[in-house]
Amino acid sequence: MTALAEIRGDGQSPYLADGQKLFFVVHLDDGKCTNYHEVAEPPPRREFDFVFELPATVFEGVASGLVDPVGAGLKGAIKITGDMRILIKHAELVNVLQEVYARDVETTWPKGSPPY
């Protein structure tokens, strides 16, 4: 599976200005992340099984362990585009994405960590 994460500045994050966007492409195989990387411009959405759109403060909350990504998705804080039947069947993929970020990416908070 291939997912696109679009993180947008929401006017509250000290790390991503209002209106700015970051894009990450994530490749998953059998529940494991095989590759992830940032892209300047996202490829066409039809190339992805899922697209996750979320405000920077939600992303930062997930990265810091303060926001549950599943709960945020259920509450609409994360907009998800794709076949929800597949996502529900593979709900652990959401946790895999969070674990990949938490485990493989060292997060420093030079401007302060959430909550802001």
Side-chain angles (χ1 to χ4, degrees):
M1 288 189 194
T2 305
L4 173 69
E6 178 181 308
I7 303 165
R8 64 183 181 285
D10 56 7
Q12 298 174 3
S13 169
Y15 298 99
L16 194 59
D18 194 20
Q20 286 185 318
K21 293 182 180 179
L22 296 176
F23 302 97
F24 293 91
V25 175
V26 181
H27 298 277
L28 300 161
D29 186 20
D30 196 28
K32 294 182 175 68
C33 178
T34 57
N35 183 20
Y36 69 95
H37 57 278
E38 184 176 356
V39 293
E41 294 293 325
R45 288 176 171 250
R46 67 180 177 277
E47 294 183 15
F48 298 98
D49 297 296
F50 295 98
V51 177
F52 300 92
E53 299 172 69
L54 61 158
T57 50
V58 172
F59 176 76
E60 293 157 7
V62 169
S64 66
L66 297 175
V67 174
D68 170 38
V70 174
L74 291 172
K75 293 177 183 173
I78 300 173
K79 180 182 174 189
I80 304 167
T81 304
D83 187 338
M84 294 308 289
R85 295 173 297 173
I86 293 173
L87 188 61
I88 290 169
K89 183 178 178 184
H90 299 287
E92 72 274 6
L93 293 180
V94 174
N95 291 325
V96 168
L97 291 174
Q98 179 187 18
E99 288 173 19
V100 164
Y101 189 83
R103 182 186 65 235
D104 295 342
V105 177
E106 183 179 333
T107 303
T108 58
W109 303 101
K111 299 178 184 179
S113 64
Y116 305 116

